[in-house]
Amino acid sequence: MAGRRDGSLMRDNSQSVYKSRITIAIAIGVLLGCFFAFFFPNGLFLSYSDSSPTLNRRLANSISQVGSTPCESSEKLNMLKSEYMAALEKNKDLKLQVKELTEKLQLAEQGRDQVQKQVQMLGPQKKVGAFGTVKGLRTNPTVVPDESVNPRLAKILEKVAVNRELIVALANSNVKEMLEVWYSNIKRAGIPNYLVVALDDEIAKLCESENVPFYKRDPDKGIDSVARIGGNHAVSGLKFRILREFLQLGYSILLSDVDIVYLQNPFEHLYRDSDIESMTDGHDNRTAYGFNDVFDEPSMGWARYAHTMRIWVFNSGFFYIRPTIPSIELLDRVAGRLSREPNSWDQAVFNEELFFPSHNGYEGLHASKRTMDFYLFMNSKVLFKTVRQDARLSKLKPVIVHVNYHPDKLPRMKAVVEYYVNGKQDALKPFPVGSDW
């Protein structure tokens, strides 16, 4: 009995020890698992490999921070500021490029639409009519108005324009007195559709106080520097860039310098059959409308006489321009050349682009043009050299008088008002035909 009990006790003790070891092993395993789960949540080897670069970077940063001096920190700050400013400037240039490309894309799309419209207008091919009855297409279709170009200007033009037409003049404080004569006579002639593009704050305030419709452009460094301090010719050159938006919005513009006296409503005397309808610097039928000028070269013998075509230039200070593709192309060409050739005269460039034909290496502008009646749209050479000395012509009342041939503009403008408006017959007599210098 005793032997059986001793054997039973030994078996119970060995089983108990075995169970205790298993329990201890499980407990150790649980503890290790908790330890690794807490300190190495991504796994022992992965966490070690991932953390090594981070630790190295942190250590490097710590070393660099400890070793850096206030001077080095200031240099780094200045470097970061310069990089920031460079990035801002680059971003500005990129935005400008995007804007220019968008405008070119819109113009290309409009050009495509106009070609389609022109084809529709022409219709199917036709047989040629009888002799003397055939006429080509003179009037190009207008562009599709795009108010997204300048929504603020679009709202102003909607209020001011009549039949989508208006007179537009650019002015800064250098021509303030002439501008006052300009808009006073426009009001007196009963012309409602006119607008002053104010190039500085002084002109904007003047227009506001005199109830004159005006438009102050958004800031533009390239234009504002010339607009504020530029002389007559410099400001005149800006109009080709500024007018583009008016045409894109679908309006026909009668561009006007401020050295012009209005005596009648010019919109009642336009033909509107061409892209450009301009007053002339010519002073008679030949110079205004063109003539055959024979060049004589005696050394050529039998072929000594060469025939040339001559015409006095269009005046870039007074012209009517329709919103067509050729018109916008003209503005782009002139503005482009004036920016590349800063010493060039805007009126010369305007006429060269308008009249020079296509030839080798050059594609001419395909724009239709008309010369205005030089007695109705009169330049100051015609007035002071011819009209005032002719009893019959002096009785005619022009639509406008442009004091473009004389530098003493303001007194001559006032004399024109005295003569044609107030009836003072000797108002023009004190002035010489030309200028004193």
Side-chain angles (χ1 to χ4, degrees):
M1 293 288 293
R4 285 198 296 273
R5 280 197 295 271
D6 291 340
S8 177
L9 287 171
M10 290 178 66
R11 284 195 300 272
D12 291 340
N13 288 335
S14 63
Q15 289 178 358
S16 177
V17 170
Y18 178 72
K19 290 180 179 178
S20 297
R21 288 177 178 174
I22 293 175
T23 301
I24 291 170
I26 292 173
I28 291 171
V30 171
L31 288 172
L32 288 172
C34 291
F35 176 84
F36 286 115
F38 183 82
F39 289 100
F40 302 96
N42 297 320
L44 176 61
F45 299 102
L46 182 61
S47 296
Y48 178 76
S49 63
D50 287 348
S51 62
S52 295
T54 304
L55 290 172
N56 290 336
R57 284 195 300 271
R58 289 178 180 174
L59 182 60
N61 290 337
S62 298
I63 293 171
S64 64
Q65 290 175 3
V66 171
S68 63
T69 64
C71 182
E72 290 175 347
S73 299
S74 177
E75 289 177 357
K76 288 181 180 178
L77 182 61
N78 290 334
M79 183 177 67
L80 288 173
K81 285 182 178 179
S82 63
E83 290 178 353
Y84 175 73
M85 295 304 297
L88 282 180
E89 193 66 28
K90 186 175 181 181
N91 185 47
K92 182 180 178 181
D93 292 340
L94 289 173
K95 285 183 178 179
L96 182 61
Q97 290 178 18
V98 169
K99 181 181 178 182
E100 291 175 350
L101 289 172
T102 301
E103 290 179 351
K104 288 180 180 179
L105 178 61
Q106 290 174 344
L107 187 60
E109 290 176 347
Q110 289 177 351
R112 181 192 61 193
D113 293 339
Q114 297 313 313
V115 170
Q116 293 175 351
K117 285 185 178 181
Q118 197 161 0
V119 171
Q120 292 174 0
M121 289 172 61
L122 291 171
Q125 289 181 312
K126 299 178 181 179
K127 291 183 178 180
V128 177
F131 180 81
T133 63
V134 177
K135 289 186 177 181
L137 183 66
R138 287 171 173 78
T139 308
N140 287 307
T142 57
V143 300
V144 178
D146 183 7
E147 293 188 2
S148 66
V149 170
N150 191 330
R152 184 165 66 88
L153 178 59
K155 290 180 181 179
I156 296 174
L157 297 183
E158 188 176 354
K159 295 178 182 178
V160 176
V162 175
N163 297 325
R164 301 190 73 82
E165 296 178 324
L166 71 157
I167 301 169
V168 173
L170 280 67
N172 62 15
S173 54
N174 292 333
V175 295
K176 180 181 176 181
E177 290 184 287
M178 284 193 290
L179 179 65
E180 290 174 331
V181 177
W182 181 85
Y183 66 66
S184 295
N185 283 279
I186 285 180
K187 290 181 178 181
R188 184 199 49 74
I191 306 168
N193 48 332
Y194 67 100
L195 181 75
V196 174
V197 177
L199 299 177
D200 55 36
D201 292 334
E202 185 176 349
I203 294 300
K205 291 177 182 177
L206 171 67
C207 291
E208 189 173 17
S209 65
E210 294 293 325
N211 197 27
V212 172
F214 74 96
Y215 164 61
K216 184 78 163 56
R217 300 184 68 259
D218 293 330
D220 186 322
K221 288 184 179 179
I223 292 178
D224 293 344
S225 58
V226 177
R228 285 193 298 268
I229 61 175
N232 191 41
H233 285 310
V235 171
S236 183
L238 293 177
K239 59 182 169 247
F240 298 99
R241 289 180 61 183
I242 295 175
L243 279 184
R244 193 184 202 278
E245 290 184 340
F246 288 79
L247 267 60
Q248 285 182 274
L249 292 170
Y251 288 86
S252 295
I253 301 301
L254 184 56
L255 188 281
S256 173
D257 282 351
V258 296
D259 57 344
I260 293 175
V261 177
Y262 286 79
L263 302 170
Q264 300 184 57
N265 190 332
F267 294 105
E268 297 174 0
H269 300 272
L270 298 175
Y271 285 82
R272 301 175 177 84
D273 62 348
S274 304
D275 297 308
I276 307 295
E277 193 169 344
S278 176
M279 75 169 293
T280 176
D281 273 3
H283 54 275
D284 55 24
N285 285 336
R286 283 162 50 87
T287 57
Y289 309 133
F291 65 100
N292 182 2
D293 186 23
V294 180
F295 178 76
D296 183 10
E297 190 176 5
S299 62
M300 289 297 295
W302 177 82
R304 63 182 292 179
Y305 299 110
H307 292 260
T308 67
M309 297 294 107
R310 295 283 300 280
I311 186 172
W312 261 228
V313 295
F314 281 3
N315 190 288
S316 63
F318 190 86
F319 61 88
Y320 178 80
I321 183 168
R322 297 176 62 249
T324 66
I325 292 297
S327 295
I328 296 175
E329 184 183 355
L330 172 64
L331 297 181
D332 288 351
R333 285 183 177 220
V334 176
R337 279 190 56 187
L338 291 176
S339 65
R340 296 189 303 271
E341 305 167 16
N343 295 325
S344 56
W345 181 28
D346 68 284
Q347 180 160 294
V349 174
F350 175 73
N351 280 272
E352 288 170 2
E353 293 298 334
L354 199 53
F355 284 96
F356 281 180
S358 299
H359 54 267
N360 185 31
Y362 176 79
E363 183 179 351
L365 181 72
H366 301 285
S368 55
K369 45 198 172 290
R370 169 182 281 273
T371 305
M372 293 176 173
D373 187 320
F374 69 91
Y375 283 129
L376 292 179
F377 299 91
M378 191 182 297
N379 62 58
S380 56
K381 182 177 181 178
V382 173
L383 175 62
F384 287 96
K385 183 180 180 179
T386 306
V387 171
R388 69 171 176 172
Q389 298 177 10
D390 187 297
R392 183 177 59 86
L393 292 176
S394 61
K395 294 178 182 179
L396 297 175
K397 186 177 182 180
V399 176
I400 62 116
V401 174
H402 188 178
V403 187
N404 60 313
Y405 268 100
H406 301 87
D408 50 338
K409 296 179 181 297
L410 185 59
R412 289 188 187 244
M413 288 177 70
K414 292 179 178 179
V416 168
V417 174
E418 288 294 324
Y419 183 79
Y420 284 108
V421 178
N422 300 328
K424 190 176 179 181
Q425 296 301 310
D426 59 349
L428 303 176
K429 290 182 179 179
F431 298 94
V433 173
S435 60
D436 295 330
W437 52 275

